[in-house]
Amino acid sequence: QSVLTQPPSASGTPGQRVTISCSGSSSNIGSNYVYWYQQLPGTAPKLLIYSNNQRPSGVPDRFSGSKSGTSASLAISGLRSEDEADYYCAAWDDSLSGWVFGGGTKLTVL
Amino acid sequence: EVQLVESGGGLVQPGGSLRLSCAASGFTFSSYEMNWVRQAPGKGLEWISYISRSGSTMYYADSVKGRFTISRDNAKNSLYLQMNSLRAEDTAVYYCARGSGLGYWGQGTLVTVSS
């Protein structure tokens, strides 16, 4: 059971916009930044969004993040086949003194 | 170019020990906090340990507390994870990850605990 809650799966057709939610609590999302990671099959996770809504250089602006209270979301617009991957949200948890992750969302591009 | 290269994984019997290493290059290692994160086969990501830039502060997940020890050698640009009393449930790919936002990850090293 993950500390952060994500839907296990999401899907969309090419060109569509999809969103992935991430729910936490006051000790993690509510008081710290949210990060999103993309894990393509067979590879290491890659930082996609940091500090709630910032994109590292090289990440397309089709990816965006937002946070409100103890929840966050990742939006992917103009969906492409290469976006098919697992997506994880994460935040530092002040009560646990450690990082907490969501269980991951498997995105399928139909 | 930032590079993190893990090594030291392998097959170990339950109750055994293993020491993982993470060699860093392409950045000033001593300026970054570091973490270990693992992923069991077919499962999600699990953070297991953090170490501060100087190595003076460490945090552990409850699942490994008392069994695993994180350390670093800034002169050698290296991060370590000493794993003792290994259990079957410790079987996973172990990643080192840089910084307070886990901004860069290594390719991982597989640890298999089995008799």
Side-chain angles (χ1 to χ4, degrees), chain B residues 14 34 42 49 56 58 60 74 76 82 103-104:
Chain B
M34 295 295 295
S49 190
S56 61
M58 294 86 79
Y60 299 93
N74 287 341
K76 294 183 177 180
Q82 177 66 42
Y104 284 92

Side-chain angles (χ1 to χ4, degrees), chain B residues 39-55:
Chain B
Q39 186 170 34
K43 303 296 185 182
L45 302 172
E46 178 191 16
W47 169 84
I48 56 173
S49 190
Y50 157 99
I51 190 167
S52 62
R53 285 170 286 185
S54 67

Side-chain angles (χ1 to χ4, degrees), chain B residues 54-112:
Chain B
S54 67
S56 61
T57 301
M58 294 86 79
Y59 298 122
Y60 299 93
D62 286 345
S63 58
V64 305
K65 200 172 293 182
R67 300 187 299 124
F68 291 10
T69 302
I70 191 172
S71 63
R72 66 190 297 163
D73 186 334
N74 287 341
K76 294 183 177 180
N77 293 333
S78 293
L79 176 72
Y80 305 102
L81 185 69
Q82 177 66 42
M83 304 187 296
N84 299 330
S85 304
L86 283 162
R87 306 166 180 166
E89 53 265 37
D90 295 319
T91 294
V93 174
Y94 286 72
Y95 297 100
C96 59
R98 187 190 87 167
S100 57
L102 309 178
Y104 284 92
W105 299 58
Q107 86 289 346
T109 187
L110 176 63
V111 172
T112 303

Side-chain angles (χ1 to χ4, degrees), chain A residues 35 37 39 43-47 88 90 92 96-103, chain B residues 35 37 39 43-47 50 59 95 99-103 105-107:
Chain A
Y35 298 78
Y37 304 89
Q39 187 175 33
T43 69
K46 168 193 162 187
L47 179 65
Y88 295 89
W92 182 264
L96 298 175
S97 292
W99 285 91
V100 291
F101 285 93
Chain B
N35 296 266
V37 179
Q39 186 170 34
K43 303 296 185 182
L45 302 172
E46 178 191 16
W47 169 84
Y50 157 99
Y59 298 122
Y95 297 100
S100 57
L102 309 178
W105 299 58
Q107 86 289 346

Side-chain angles (χ1 to χ4, degrees), chain B residues 5-17:
Chain B
V5 179
E6 301 93 338
S7 61
L11 175 64
V12 60
Q13 292 190 335
S17 298

